[in-house]
Amino acid sequence: VALKMSHESIVMLENNGVLPLNKNKSIALIGPFGNTQELVGPWGGKCDRSKCNTLYNVLKENVKDVKYALGTTILGDDKSGFEEALDVAKTQDVIIYACGENEWQSGEGSSRANLNLPGVQDELLDELKQLGKPIVMLVFAGRPLIMKKYKGSMDAILYCWFLGTKSSEAIYNTLY
């Protein structure tokens, strides 16, 4: 039931014919939400986050060729991972960019004055776009973020929210 509920909670903001993805296409999974168990969000309560599967692990189990690079963290201005992320993306057919805000940035008492992607996630995405590869943008947040800049420039945008312990499985099912 959790998987079905999560799957239905994902909002597709854009799909320019790239979805569903082909399992024979190689995937570059880039971004701070690509290989983390922190997909529950601020409303997870006492859930056991160690039981959350990472998106990277789910993709590795089901797709022929997947490579991962962090690229950047959620907050801060560290661009030292950009080069590795670009190198990984150059070798693959499709880029999945997993970005968003920390779970503690949303929820009760967590207002933000700026609802854009935090840190330098935006700058990494701009560099990935220069490669000319199809990009599927996955956005993780507990509130709406400003997405106007990306509409029309991404091949697909899925607003994934913080879905809970079966997030990665639901996202995989939506992508494929």
Side-chain angles (χ1 to χ4, degrees):
V1 173
L3 181 60
K4 185 176 188 294
M5 288 172 46
S6 295
H7 177 74
E8 292 173 352
S9 298
I10 295 171
V11 177
M12 189 170 310
L13 299 176
E14 191 89 59
N15 183 12
N16 295 319
V18 74
L19 298 179
L21 292 173
N22 181 330
K23 290 182 185 180
N24 293 319
K25 297 271 184 178
S26 60
I27 301 296
L29 179 60
I30 309 292
F33 285 95
N35 196 19
T36 182
Q37 293 175 300
E38 297 298 323
L39 302 176
V40 176
W43 303 279
K46 293 184 179 183
C47 87
D48 185 355
R49 292 165 196 269
S50 71
K51 293 185 179 175
C52 290
N53 208 346
T54 70
L55 185 56
Y56 180 54
N57 285 338
V58 170
L59 288 171
K60 280 193 320 183
E61 292 168 6
N62 294 287
V63 180
K64 185 177 178 182
D65 183 8
V66 180
K67 294 181 181 172
Y68 170 75
L70 175 64
T72 187
T73 57
I74 296 169
L75 300 173
D77 58 3
D78 183 7
K79 298 180 186 178
S80 63
F82 279 30
E83 186 175 338
E84 177 190 8
L86 291 166
D87 288 345
V88 166
K90 287 175 188 174
T91 67
Q92 304 302 94
D93 299 320
V94 177
I95 299 166
I96 297 176
Y97 187 61
C99 59
E101 64 179 2
N102 278 313
E103 66 179 7
W104 54 263
Q105 287 181 280
S106 61
E108 201 169 322
S110 299
S111 298
R112 289 180 56 204
N114 179 339
L115 295 179
N116 295 314
L117 283 177
V120 292
Q121 295 178 84
D122 208 24
E123 293 175 48
L124 176 56
L125 184 56
D126 287 341
E127 291 197 29
L128 290 168
K129 285 193 297 190
Q130 298 303 312
L131 298 177
K133 305 225 177 194
I135 299 177
V136 177
M137 184 178 186
L138 305 178
V139 182
F140 295 87
R143 77 174 98 241
L145 297 179
I146 297 172
M147 302 301 300
K148 186 176 182 178
K149 173 182 179 177
Y150 312 107
K151 189 134 175 73
S153 67
M154 295 291 109
D155 296 282
I157 302 172
L158 298 177
Y159 210 96
C160 300
W161 305 100
F162 289 122
L163 297 178
T165 57
K166 294 295 185 184
S167 295
S168 295
E169 291 85 349
I171 294 164
Y172 169 78
N173 287 338
T174 303
L175 292 172
Y176 288 90

